[in-house]
Amino acid sequence: MGALNLTLSFPTFLVSSIWSSGWRDPMAFKTLVRALAPALVLSPYGTLALPSQTQRSLRRLKCRTFCTNSSSIAVAAPGDCYPEYDRLLPCPSHNRPPRVEHLVVLEGGPVLDFICKALNLPPLYVADLIHFGAVYYALVCPEPPPTATPEQVRLFKEVTAPSVLKKRSSIKGKTVREAQKTFRIAHVDQFVESGTYLRVHVHPKRFPRCYEIDWKSRIIAVTESFVVLDKPAGTSVGGTTDNVEESCATFASRALGLPITLKTTHQIDNCTEGCVILAKTKEYCSIFHGKIRGKQVKKLYLALAAAPVPVGIISHYMRPVNIAPRIVSTGFVKGWHLCQLEVLECCEVPWPNATISAQYCIQDCGWPSKGTAYECKINLLTGKTHQIRAQLAACGAPIVGDSMYMPAVVKQMKDPLVNPFCERDIEDMSLEDREKAITEWISQYGKEPSVAIGLQACQISWDEGDHFYTAGAPWWR
């Protein structure tokens, strides 16, 4: 969906579409953008990602202002969109609507002080954001896209003029592109000079499951170089863009009393449980990455499918765009990635009962028959994001609880022609028709699962079986 453009009647504010789609929160469908008064801060855009129901709320939009001094206004926000801010802990049970703010510093100073004044946030809350890894900086503000307003372009040119940049010793010897690279703010007292760009994820994605887990009981093995973890569903392996604190790497490190946080070597989805390898050193991280690239690492999965899946190799072609839900086609599409998995076994098992479904927040998703499920053992031959989930859904056997893929299969069961990718040769479609079909398909589906789905990384091995590890029983058993 496109960004929502508004212009308020206040002369000190500019509300417009976000400058770059790469800076939107991926779950945000609407963005509200503001510019802050130049006397304090140049904010080319600030984004508020709104809940889906806020079409009505926008009609009764209220603006409140927070003045940090008599001559500048720092924030304009819909009155009923932002909550009161205190601390990031204790962890809430539900995520707040995404809010990402983009600022440019016009007067140097400590980053915590600047953000507090610019966004009217309490110091302890901003300190928590920095601790969570939710604040980023770049020496130079990124360039606006062609859709930017004339005022946005003017402001950008003002802070990136050659006469301004050449006076900044911090970017001496760097290209503009190099100076626009973003890094996490590491300390609350970090100095940010005039011209520095800041991105603040005010509402980081939260993982309450981290505080419910007995992490020591999830450790499968500890060696000199790595740790094998039976990752719980509803957690992130190494954290997200805006939250590295609530992650498996952080909590497993604490459970083991390690002085240095474990490092991520590979990923599995937040809603997936099972074996992951966490490295103790950067050196072993590189070693394990090399084993993955050399196809020396073998992974087996257990998938709880809603319908039977044929034993054997299943092949699809996946659209090479990093947007969920992933689009796959049964037929060859030029430029799309070949995805292959091998179903080793498929056997009938009971559908999870109401008690276990409630415990793991398994979503209903509208599947018509909930008597029997099918547990499949899968050898992953290629490793694409969401591959098992997307491929099984394309076979008409989505994973139990997978709200990102199952609703589309349910819809397709009623009308087989609604899916433009499964049974027809989309190579014959024009590029325009193909992109239109993809946009329409993605817009209807793609809700992220709450906690768990029926998928477990049940086994991992490498070095021809010299290292061999197995997860515990999956949650549905």
Side-chain angles (χ1 to χ4, degrees):
M1 291 187 179
L4 183 64
N5 295 329
L6 297 174
T7 302
L8 301 184
S9 58
F10 301 97
T12 50
F13 296 99
L14 172 67
V15 182
S16 62
S17 62
I18 192 165
W19 276 22
S20 171
S21 61
W23 299 336
R24 283 197 305 253
D25 186 284
M27 299 303 295
F29 295 104
K30 305 286 185 185
T31 53
L32 178 67
V33 183
R34 71 179 65 86
L36 307 184
L40 169 68
V41 53
L42 167 64
S43 178
Y45 50 84
T47 69
L48 167 64
L50 301 174
S52 59
Q53 68 267 29
T54 44
Q55 284 275 29
R56 295 187 301 275
S57 299
L58 287 170
R59 299 193 187 102
R60 57 179 187 275
L61 182 66
K62 301 176 183 178
C63 290
R64 72 171 184 262
T65 62
F66 301 95
C67 297
T68 56
N69 58 49
S70 59
S71 63
S72 66
I73 298 176
V75 174
D80 55 354
C81 285
Y82 293 165
E84 294 296 324
Y85 293 102
D86 182 21
R87 298 295 299 271
L88 288 182
L89 292 175
C91 182
S93 58
H94 300 285
N95 279 290
R96 292 172 172 175
R99 177 187 171 190
V100 184
E101 299 288 349
H102 304 264
L103 312 172
V104 173
V105 180
L106 287 190
E107 182 177 348
V111 66
L112 185 141
D113 293 346
F114 175 80
I115 294 173
C116 290
K117 292 177 182 177
L119 301 180
N120 196 49
L121 294 173
L124 290 177
Y125 189 85
V126 176
D128 287 345
L129 290 176
I130 292 172
H131 176 68
F132 271 54
V135 182
Y136 290 78
Y137 79 95
L139 293 174
V140 175
C141 181
E143 185 175 354
T147 54
T149 66
E151 177 65 9
Q152 289 173 326
V153 173
R154 184 192 68 77
L155 294 174
F156 168 78
K157 289 181 178 179
E158 182 179 312
V159 296
T160 59
S163 59
V164 173
L165 295 181
K166 71 180 182 180
K167 297 177 182 178
R168 297 179 57 188
S169 59
S170 62
I171 64 174
K172 187 175 182 180
K174 295 182 175 68
T175 65
V176 172
R177 184 178 295 273
E178 289 171 341
Q180 290 172 335
K181 185 176 180 180
T182 57
F183 301 91
R184 273 193 172 99
I185 294 287
H187 304 287
V188 295
D189 56 354
Q190 183 168 329
F191 182 87
V192 286
E193 66 179 6
S194 176
T196 301
Y197 160 80
L198 294 174
R199 186 178 79 232
V200 184
H201 296 259
V202 184
H203 298 166
K205 181 176 174 61
R206 307 306 300 274
F207 295 91
R209 281 274 288 166
C210 285
Y211 304 94
E212 303 167 5
I213 301 299
D214 176 5
W215 287 92
K216 282 190 176 180
S217 71
R218 308 293 299 202
I219 304 296
I220 297 173
V222 180
T223 74
E224 185 179 338
S225 302
F226 60 87
V227 171
V228 186
L229 176 72
D230 189 352
K231 174 192 171 298
T235 61
S236 168
V237 177
T240 58
T241 301
D242 52 12
N243 186 350
V244 294
E245 165 66 16
E246 294 170 341
S247 68
C248 292
T250 299
F251 278 76
S253 301
R254 288 180 185 158
L256 294 170
L258 299 177
I260 299 175
T261 303
L262 293 162
K263 295 161 181 60
T264 304
T265 65
H266 64 110
Q267 294 281 356
I268 60 176
D269 293 341
N270 295 346
C271 55
T272 303
E273 64 180 22
C275 297
V276 293
I277 308 302
L278 300 171
K280 288 185 173 181
T281 64
K282 289 183 179 180
E283 290 74 21
Y284 193 77
C285 234
S286 298
I287 290 172
F288 198 81
H289 287 162
K291 294 180 186 297
I292 292 175
R293 288 192 300 271
K295 301 188 183 301
Q296 301 174 41
V297 180
K298 183 177 181 180
K299 303 175 186 177
L300 293 184
Y301 287 79
L302 288 178
L304 189 67
V309 182
V311 173
I313 294 177
I314 298 175
S315 300
H316 288 91
Y317 293 88
M318 180 178 286
R319 178 177 178 239
V321 176
N322 189 26
I323 296 176
R326 301 299 172 128
I327 301 297
V328 297
S329 170
T330 52
F332 171 81
V333 184
K334 185 177 180 180
W336 289 26
H337 301 309
L338 174 65
C339 293
Q340 289 186 312
L341 57 81
E342 181 182 13
V343 180
L344 304 174
E345 302 171 9
C346 182
C347 58
E348 290 188 14
V349 296
W351 193 279
N353 61 41
T355 301
I356 195 74
S357 294
Q359 181 180 349
Y360 289 93
C361 303
I362 306 304
Q363 292 168 257
D364 182 272
C365 304
W367 193 254
S369 56
K370 299 182 180 67
T372 302
Y374 298 83
E375 186 178 277
C376 306
K377 180 174 283 189
I378 294 172
N379 178 23
L380 199 57
L381 301 178
T382 57
K384 303 299 181 184
T385 302
H386 287 201
Q387 180 182 330
I388 295 176
R389 299 166 64 184
Q391 284 199 265
L392 292 190
C395 293
I399 292 173
V400 171
D402 195 349
S403 56
M404 187 163 283
Y405 292 94
M406 183 180 279
V409 180
V410 173
K411 178 79 171 179
Q412 189 178 344
M413 291 168 67
K414 300 175 182 177
D415 181 5
L417 296 180
V418 299
N419 188 339
F421 309 108
C422 281
E423 298 300 334
R424 64 186 72 173
D425 186 359
I426 65 172
E427 276 281 278
D428 293 337
M429 298 172 66
S430 69
L431 184 60
E432 181 180 353
D433 289 343
R434 184 192 304 172
E435 290 304 312
K436 181 180 178 182
I438 289 172
T439 300
E440 291 177 352
W441 186 255
I442 290 178
S443 69
Q444 297 178 57
Y445 309 106
K447 182 182 178 183
E448 187 176 9
S450 298
V451 176
I453 63 173
L455 187 60
Q456 182 198 53
C458 65
Q459 189 181 107
I460 189 167
S461 61
W462 63 95
D463 291 348
E464 297 183 348
D466 287 348
H467 295 283
F468 184 96
Y469 302 98
T470 303
W475 61 260
W476 58 86
R477 286 188 185 170

